[in-house]
Amino acid sequence: MLTTLRIKNLALVSDLTLELQPGCNVITGETGAGKSILIGALNLVLGERADRTLIRSGADSCSVEVVFDVRQMSCLLTERRSPDPARRGNVIQRAGSETGAPSMLQAFLDENGLEPCEDNQLVLKRTFTTAGTNRQFVNGSPTTLTTLAAIGEWLVDIHGPHDHQSLLNPLKQLMILDAFGGLESEREQFADLVRRRSALEAEKSALIVDEKTYVQQLDLLRFQVKEIEAARLQPGEDEQVEQEFHRAGNAAKLLQLGQAALDVLAENDTAVLTQLGVVGRALQELQRVDTGAGALVELHSQANGMLNDLQTEISRYVEKVDVDPARLAELEERLNLIHSLKRKYGSTLAEVIAFGGDAKAKLQSLESRDSELARLNAALEKLDTEILKAGRALTAARKKVIPKLAKAALTQLADLGFKQSQFDIALSSATNEETLQHATRNTQHGLDTIEFQFSPNVGEPLKPLRAIASSGEMARVMLALKTVLAAQDEIPVLVFDEVDANVGGETANAVGEKMKQIAAKRQVICITHLPQVAAPADAHYVVTKQVNEGRTISEIALLDKKSRVTELTRMLGGQSDAARKHAEALLK
């Protein structure tokens, strides 16, 4: 569950901490008090793009922090693709552990270089400044906005006052149907087959070219392979040749310097070793006079040994120096060849060698084009059969789920005021001739398109949801489906931002009960203007605007029972005795 939301310097909020409760949390307040700021802050810390104009006037930066208790959430990270290709990531879903932060969640944090959860607390934080600097953290570890959004996407589901419009999208409807039926894995298996088919099609397209282009490609690849293979390149050879060329180019100077060093050491009358011998004889005489000078003689012996070793090594070095113009020319030619190949095929020698390997594989594929095309065609034919089989199986499974979802939705719609409404789902599938083209266009979704159909009143025919004009009706259909999906929904925290707009009366009572039902399985945070929705909640917060030192700030407070009566009375339209009694009755 989401336990804490902290906001600093965001719009009207100066410094606010909201401690949330399990179950259903409602937030109320006058229009403009700042309720929407809470949702905006939550969106920011869950990865939404930051707008610097939201930073409170006079402040340089803004921060939002949330704390999740993962012990009760018992989440697991499992690989699954998001329905939205632009936001694919790891899914956080429930598991059975209640003893601590889930091991798979910890694995996800480890893989992304993030600190582990302490005391089962997952902490997300987002800061941004007027200068445009953005920083985000998970458990105190800096991370990318993409990682923060990936975690947030699977922890919290936010439904705004206009989100019911997403129900008009047939793809969204298909996602709801598959979620209700638990068909996501079947859909992903189908998608994987189509992706494999697309990869084979790409290989085939690379082989199917006109004859002139085919000959040109063959000639080019043969030239590239021959040129790289003829060079007989070895990994790391360029550095070795570079060093040897540098030594060969400076051989005369190296020889001169080496010989000069030998002259100073041992090869003239004033050489270091000759003088060191004079020093040694003096020290031996010194030791005969003073036996305590033995350490000096020992140091002299060590120095003499080291200088003799130095002389030996310099002599060996000088002997190896070879002033050979032919070898220098050979090294220069090799170095020029390596540089030429780098300019053509890669910035490093490793890239040149890898390019040669790829070119050889392409050449072999082109030279055996006919047999390769036959192999690809056979593989495509096999995949076509598998795609048809998987698509038809997915279609059959969806047809079984449709009446169950329709029945469950009707039950919820009846509670929301549609006592005699109709709800159904029309499904159409691609024919055999259309299947592959359809699958290529819809790689994530199978062979089907669906349309939610609804009739709110007796005697009216079923119509697509997009034909319904009333936003109040659309909002209630969305809420009904959310209630149906609560048991299947993997997201532990659901946020409803004024989704009960345009409803009232008995329907408002039903909306409040629906929120309560959903909260039995998930933590719910609901912003509402309806007292009937606020009354059944487990915790009630009110947002107010205050003026402090000439500045307007938004504050939030958790209400006790007495304060709840006062707030519900306000929401009912006044502070009359009748309104207060009505508020007390709602709470009871």
Side-chain angles (χ1 to χ4, degrees), residues 1-22:
M1 58 172 280
L2 174 61
T3 60
T4 307
L5 170 63
R6 301 188 185 105
I7 309 170
K8 292 191 69 174
N9 297 325
L10 180 66
L12 294 180
V13 173
S14 174
D15 191 347
L16 179 150
T17 299
L18 174 59
E19 302 287 348
L20 291 153
Q21 308 299 316

Side-chain angles (χ1 to χ4, degrees), residues 213-371:
T213 305
Y214 173 67
V215 172
Q216 290 174 343
Q217 288 182 352
L218 278 178
D219 288 343
L220 176 61
L221 286 170
R222 283 170 179 160
F223 172 80
Q224 291 171 336
V225 170
K226 182 178 179 180
E227 184 177 36
I228 294 174
E229 286 187 343
R232 299 184 180 278
L233 300 172
Q234 299 298 322
E237 178 189 359
D238 50 343
E239 295 179 3
Q240 296 173 4
V241 173
E242 191 88 50
Q243 292 173 1
E244 190 176 350
F245 175 74
H246 183 73
R247 285 196 301 269
N250 293 278
K253 186 175 183 180
L254 294 175
L255 191 62
Q256 178 186 357
L257 292 172
Q259 189 59 53
L262 286 174
D263 289 346
V264 172
L265 271 174
E267 296 184 4
N268 60 50
D269 294 339
T270 60
V272 172
L273 287 173
T274 302
Q275 297 300 320
L276 195 61
V278 175
V279 173
R281 287 190 291 275
L283 289 176
Q284 287 173 358
E285 185 67 25
L286 181 68
Q287 186 182 26
R288 279 193 289 273
V289 177
D290 179 8
T291 57
L296 298 176
V297 175
E298 178 62 27
L299 286 173
H300 172 271
S301 176
Q302 292 176 8
N304 189 61
M306 292 180 65
L307 287 172
N308 275 292
D309 290 343
L310 178 61
Q311 178 194 11
T312 301
E313 292 303 318
I314 294 176
S315 296
R316 289 175 180 171
Y317 179 84
V318 169
E319 289 172 2
K320 291 180 181 178
V321 174
D322 184 13
V323 182
D324 184 356
R327 177 57 179 164
L328 180 64
E330 180 184 334
L331 289 169
E332 183 177 17
E333 183 180 355
R334 183 65 175 172
L335 203 56
N336 288 338
L337 173 61
I338 291 174
H339 287 164
S340 174
L341 294 175
K342 283 184 179 181
R343 285 193 297 272
K344 292 180 181 179
Y345 305 120
S347 58
T348 67
L349 197 63
E351 290 180 6
V352 174
I353 294 172
F355 184 96
D358 291 341
K360 187 173 183 179
K362 291 178 183 177
L363 178 61
Q364 290 173 347
S365 179
L366 279 179
E367 288 177 336
S368 58
R369 181 176 61 169
D370 292 341
S371 60

Side-chain angles (χ1 to χ4, degrees), residues 3 91 95 174 184 196 274 278-279 332 350 366 378 393 399 401 411 480 526 528 572 574:
T3 60
V91 181
L174 198 61
E184 293 95 335
R196 286 163 53 192
T274 302
V278 175
V279 173
E332 183 177 17
L366 279 179
K399 287 180 178 178
V401 172
T411 300
C526 175
T528 183
L572 286 165

Side-chain angles (χ1 to χ4, degrees), residues 161-178:
H162 305 294
D163 281 359
H164 57 262
Q165 295 298 322
S166 66
L167 272 182
L168 303 182
N169 185 340
L171 181 55
K172 173 67 174 178
Q173 296 175 4
L174 198 61
M175 296 301 137
I176 291 173
L177 177 66
D178 288 347

Side-chain angles (χ1 to χ4, degrees), residues 126-153:
R126 175 89 178 275
T127 66
F128 58 99
T129 68
T130 53
T133 303
N134 277 276
R135 300 185 70 191
Q136 41 280 327
F137 306 86
V138 176
N139 292 337
S141 300
T143 188
T144 64
L145 191 59
T146 301
T147 300
L148 190 69
I151 295 175
E153 180 184 359

Side-chain angles (χ1 to χ4, degrees), residues 373-584:
L373 280 174
R375 181 190 69 81
L376 290 172
N377 285 329
L380 284 168
E381 186 176 349
K382 181 180 178 182
L383 270 178
D384 289 347
T385 302
E386 293 180 21
I387 288 172
L388 276 172
K389 182 179 178 181
R392 287 167 179 166
L394 184 55
T395 298
R398 284 169 173 165
K399 287 180 178 178
K400 290 180 180 178
V401 172
I402 283 174
K404 297 176 183 178
L405 176 57
K407 182 179 179 181
L410 279 173
T411 300
Q412 301 302 326
L413 286 167
D415 293 341
L416 290 168
F418 295 115
K419 300 295 183 182
Q420 299 185 56
S421 63
Q422 299 179 71
F423 182 88
D424 203 354
I425 302 170
L427 181 146
S428 59
S429 302
T431 64
N432 288 358
E433 295 78 15
E434 299 172 319
T435 296
L436 295 179
Q437 287 185 347
H438 181 90
T440 302
R441 293 193 305 268
N442 301 275
T443 56
Q444 302 296 314
H445 319 303
L447 308 178
D448 311 312
T449 54
I450 67 169
E451 185 89 63
F452 283 0
Q453 297 183 323
F454 181 61
S455 172
N457 302 306
V458 176
E460 294 184 8
L462 284 163
K463 295 180 181 178
L465 278 182
R466 52 188 164 77
I468 296 175
S470 168
S471 60
E473 290 177 346
M474 287 291 296
R476 279 185 278 172
V477 172
M478 168 66 94
L479 186 55
L481 290 169
K482 262 296 165 188
T483 307
V484 168
L485 290 173
Q488 283 79 19
D489 201 337
E490 295 169 342
I491 300 176
V493 181
L494 302 181
V495 179
F496 296 96
D497 181 14
E498 299 187 17
V499 296
D500 50 16
N502 302 315
V503 300
E506 286 301 315
T507 302
N509 291 329
V511 170
E513 288 303 316
K514 289 303 164 197
M515 293 292 178
K516 188 78 171 175
Q517 288 177 26
I518 296 173
K521 297 181 174 65
R522 301 284 182 276
Q523 184 187 33
V524 170
I525 301 168
C526 175
I527 293 179
T528 183
H529 287 287
L530 297 178
Q532 299 96 321
V533 175
D538 299 295
H540 187 161
Y541 303 82
V542 64
V543 178
T544 57
K545 280 195 300 188
Q546 308 290 338
V547 177
N548 187 7
E549 298 180 354
R551 297 292 304 276
T552 301
I553 60 173
S554 288
E555 296 181 343
I556 190 166
L558 175 63
L559 302 180
D560 57 22
K561 186 173 182 180
K562 183 178 179 180
S563 300
R564 287 189 76 176
V565 172
T566 301
E567 174 64 6
L568 291 175
T569 303
R570 180 198 67 79
M571 297 172 72
L572 286 165
Q575 294 298 328
S576 66
D577 289 341
R580 180 166 290 273
K581 288 179 180 178
H582 189 183
E584 291 172 347

